[in-house]
Amino acid sequence: MSDTHTRDADADVLPEAEVAGLSAKTVAHVIHYRRKTYVTKPSEGYALLKRVRTLLRDGTTDLVPLVHRDGFVWLAVGPSIPIAIDEIETDPGHSEKHTLKRLGLD
């Protein structure tokens, strides 16, 4: 089955703070890849999400760069390689700065 609808350039841009109609602030992404976990700021996380979506939609495998809190790594991403990406929001009752510090991003 193929995807028959077309997308414009804005369709691939992920909103920074919209979850089921509720306002939320994404402060980090956690990438689960093979047996490792990487924590990254939203700008790097959204770039990775966009590239992963393109590769999976096209059914291809490629190396994707990821800048994370501990440095830099290349991830092989493709249809048969498991990867999960979680969005982390601010902790309830705490500031964005507190959440970033807890994640080691501040």
Side-chain angles (χ1 to χ4, degrees):
M1 188 179 282
S2 64
D3 187 7
T4 57
H5 68 283
T6 59
R7 296 177 179 220
D8 58 19
D10 292 334
D12 282 338
V13 176
L14 298 173
E16 184 176 326
E18 288 297 320
V19 178
L22 301 174
S23 194
K25 175 71 174 173
T26 299
V27 295
H29 286 94
V30 177
I31 295 92
H32 307 280
Y33 180 81
R34 304 208 177 202
R35 293 185 180 141
K36 297 191 178 195
T37 301
Y38 303 99
V39 179
T40 187
K41 292 186 179 182
S43 57
E44 289 87 7
Y46 285 131
L48 177 72
L49 267 171
K50 185 175 180 180
R51 183 68 180 132
V52 167
R53 285 182 6 184
T54 300
L55 289 170
L56 295 178
R57 183 176 45 232
D58 295 344
T60 58
T61 300
D62 200 1
L63 291 175
V64 179
L66 175 66
V67 176
H68 57 94
R69 73 173 172 200
D70 298 323
F72 175 83
V73 67
W74 287 94
L75 305 178
V77 175
S80 63
I81 301 169
I83 187 170
I85 303 171
D86 296 322
E87 288 189 358
I88 306 298
E89 299 173 2
T90 53
D91 292 332
H94 293 283
S95 68
E96 180 179 334
K97 185 175 180 176
H98 172 269
T99 304
L100 289 172
K101 186 173 183 177
R102 183 179 62 82
L103 294 168
L105 291 173
D106 189 25

